[in-house]
Amino acid sequence: MIAHLKGRLDSTGIDHAVIDVGGVGYLVGASARTLAAIGPVGEAATLFTEMLVAEDFIRLVGFANAAERDWFRLLTGVQGVGARVALAILSALEPNELARAIASQDKAMVARANGVGPKLAERIVRELKDKVGAVPLGPGAIAQALPVGASADAVSALLNLGFRPAEAATAVAAAEEELGDTASLDALVRLALRKASR
């Protein structure tokens, strides 16, 4: 499993980028938002990745931040939402906008994405409502939705274990407050799990 790529941005296309890592070019599918965020061709770039494996292909999808990758995982868990549709949604909406749309059951906002009709938008907001939980909508919502570094990886680890994004972010924030900014990923995840299970 490839979790992230760090290298030089070799080229970009309408829906992908090529990252040169030690002389090997990785073709990575990406949303328009990620392609706009990774910087100019020829410069250093880092992408969080998700590897999609099927009978007839192996494909990497890249994201500018861990929050976008986590939303991709949630979206592709909804029946009828493949990688292409999930990327279209993430091109149209930032993670915090998507969280607000689902928390408020705003089907029209989700349907703004290319390839998402009213029925699919309704299924997405209905199925993800319970997984997202009550998402805070104040100014802190953006900071909570987009943690960085080890805390972002710790939130991702908790999401993979089945915690809701709001629960995972709160538990990791509490663990980071107790351990400090220099805490290792391992220590953050262990303490966050203890805090989340209380």
Side-chain angles (χ1 to χ4, degrees):
M1 180 78 137
I2 298 172
H4 74 270
L5 293 174
K6 192 177 278 191
R8 184 180 59 80
L9 180 59
D10 188 69
S11 63
T12 59
I14 195 162
D15 61 354
H16 68 274
V18 176
I19 306 289
D20 185 314
V21 182
V24 178
Y26 290 87
L27 179 71
V28 184
S31 70
R33 196 171 299 280
T34 290
L35 291 171
I38 57 176
V41 170
E43 297 294 316
T46 300
L47 285 179
F48 293 87
T49 56
E50 182 77 355
M51 185 181 283
L52 307 177
V53 180
E55 208 172 284
D56 54 348
F57 71 83
I58 296 176
R59 183 176 175 215
L60 274 178
V61 184
F63 309 94
N65 55 61
E68 193 182 16
R69 180 182 61 191
D70 295 338
W71 273 107
F72 178 83
R73 290 172 177 166
L74 284 171
L75 287 165
T76 53
V78 175
Q79 183 187 351
V81 179
R84 193 179 300 276
V85 171
L87 288 175
I89 293 168
L90 291 168
S91 291
L93 300 169
E94 290 182 16
N96 57 321
E97 291 175 322
L98 189 51
R100 276 201 303 273
I102 288 166
S104 62
Q105 296 287 278
D106 187 346
K107 302 181 288 281
M109 193 167 185
V110 177
R112 283 177 17 197
N114 286 338
V116 180
K119 283 184 179 173
L120 184 56
E122 184 175 356
R123 186 183 309 141
I124 289 167
V125 297
R126 188 179 66 241
E127 287 190 24
L128 293 185
K129 173 88 170 162
D130 292 337
K131 292 181 181 171
V132 174
V135 177
L137 302 179
I142 296 168
Q144 193 171 28
L146 301 173
V148 293
S151 59
D153 292 336
V155 168
S156 181
L158 265 64
L159 289 173
N160 290 336
L161 292 171
F163 288 92
R164 292 179 180 177
E167 290 173 327
T170 303
V172 170
E176 192 172 33
E177 193 174 313
E178 189 172 312
L179 296 171
D181 293 344
T182 57
S184 70
L185 174 60
D186 188 42
L188 267 178
V189 171
R190 275 196 304 228
L191 185 56
L193 281 170
R194 286 206 299 274
K195 290 188 175 294
S197 60
R198 280 179 192 164

